[in-house]
Amino acid sequence: MKQLFTNLSYVRYLQSRQSAVAITGRLTPSIGRNNVTKTKTLATSLLSLSAAAIMALVGTTSANAAPVSTTDTTGSVASSYTASDSGTASYWTPERMKTAKSGDILADKALQRSKLLNLGKSLTTEAPGAVSTVEGQKAAVDSKAINLKVNKSETPVKHIGKVFFTLGGSNYVCSANSVTSTNKSTVSTAGHCLNEGPGAFATNFVFVPAYLNGSAPYGQWTAKALYAPTQWSGSGNMQYDTGFAVMNTLNGQRLADVVGASGVQFNAARGLSYKAFGYPAAPPFNGESLKSCSGTATNDPYNPQFASQGIPCNMTGGSSGGPWFIGTSSSGYQNSVNSYGYGSNSSTMYGPYWGSVIQSTYTTAAAS
């Protein structure tokens, strides 16, 4: 395996880059996978990138405005980006959707940057907070019948779908879910599906609920603003690999009124039973229909500093950002998202613990 960096001057460059980023979150970022020899999964691995390639990844920026820090009533800080939907809906032709890359590629890049940018940092995890629950929102009466075509796994769920976006000049696809909010227009996904972690926010971001075999029964919803914890956007801390997008109205309607929105819960007990959903695109899947996994969560034994939990699951790239529901169905409270796995044939999907930091980001997005 090639070395990720070649000399101390490169390491000092990365460390000086991070020190220039103002991070006002609750915790000291602490990423690293020392002594871990397993390869990252969800389709491809970038563990053998050369120093020049990693340098290019760290220095990558997109043609969007710098993140804006917005503070909610709890005093925590989230980074946000005000999106423009000019031309976004027309940008996503069927061909572009078909050829969009799986978002796990971005997770791989973020993992490598986080390892280098957090060299020597202490491994600190978030202290548990009080359990907080926000009830879901029901959609208006729906008369549409969704054509199931060849779907043999999960029947499409109205509030779960795919997100397509552009980051670093390339088009990507992830999974996402409509979540309850004051603005009735908020979508949850993985942090790496809307921000480089650390780095720029995505452009051309659209949400396609109940996607199935190229169809968009509830339309394509363009983003109004994107939000991520500063611990993610500023340092790529894998503890906080979650983001929220606020969508524009479509045909004068708000997203939750059309497809509904899941309730959410933060600071829940660890070790719960979950059902996770997503649109895996790497073999043996094709990304055209909804899949699911179920099981009891256990802590990540390879990188405990991530504070992540995993459930039995073999979903691949494209499922990133798909929702985890407490219980055995899509009607439970959402409590995490698909984030990462290990090995080319991973049998476990890991998701970030939704604590007070991610809750603060959600609160900011939901009230915008």
Side-chain angles (χ1 to χ4, degrees), residues 131-265:
V131 176
S132 177
T133 302
V134 185
E135 297 297 327
Q137 296 164 324
K138 293 183 178 180
V141 176
D142 176 35
S143 60
K144 286 188 178 180
I146 300 176
N147 183 356
L148 300 183
K149 296 183 179 179
V150 297
N151 183 38
K152 295 181 180 180
S153 296
E154 287 287 341
T155 299
V157 177
K158 289 172 62 175
H159 48 81
I160 302 173
K162 300 179 78 168
V163 289
F164 297 88
F165 56 96
T166 303
L167 201 54
S170 296
N171 294 330
Y172 294 94
V173 60
C174 283
S175 302
N177 183 50
S178 171
V179 292
T180 186
S181 60
T182 302
N183 56 39
K184 290 193 172 184
S185 301
T186 300
V187 167
S188 67
T189 189
H192 67 261
C193 296
L194 53 69
N195 180 275
E196 289 175 324
F201 278 86
T203 58
N204 297 321
F205 190 100
V206 298
F207 175 54
V208 185
Y211 177 99
L212 178 65
N213 295 310
S215 66
Y218 299 101
Q220 298 180 26
W221 300 73
T222 61
K224 178 180 180 181
L226 307 176
Y227 294 83
T230 55
Q231 289 88 340
W232 176 260
S233 62
S235 63
N237 191 327
M238 289 301 294
Q239 289 187 69
Y240 308 104
D241 186 19
T242 298
F244 299 93
V246 177
M247 316 312 292
N248 289 297
T249 57
L250 180 62
N251 299 323
Q253 295 180 295
R254 293 181 295 182
L255 178 64
D257 291 330
V258 176
V259 302
S262 300
V264 293
Q265 189 170 100

Side-chain angles (χ1 to χ4, degrees), residues 345-356:
N345 295 303
S346 176
S347 59
T348 304
M349 175 72 74
Y350 292 94
Y353 179 80
W354 276 19
S356 299

Side-chain angles (χ1 to χ4, degrees), residues 1 4 33 37-49 104-105 107-109 111-112 341 343-344:
M1 184 177 293
L4 290 177
R33 289 165 57 189
T37 58
K38 297 201 173 195
T39 55
K40 174 70 173 58
T41 190
L42 296 180
T44 60
S45 176
L46 299 182
L47 293 178
S48 60
L49 284 174
D104 64 284
I105 296 174
D108 285 328
K109 293 179 179 180
L111 278 167
Q112 299 316 308
S344 59

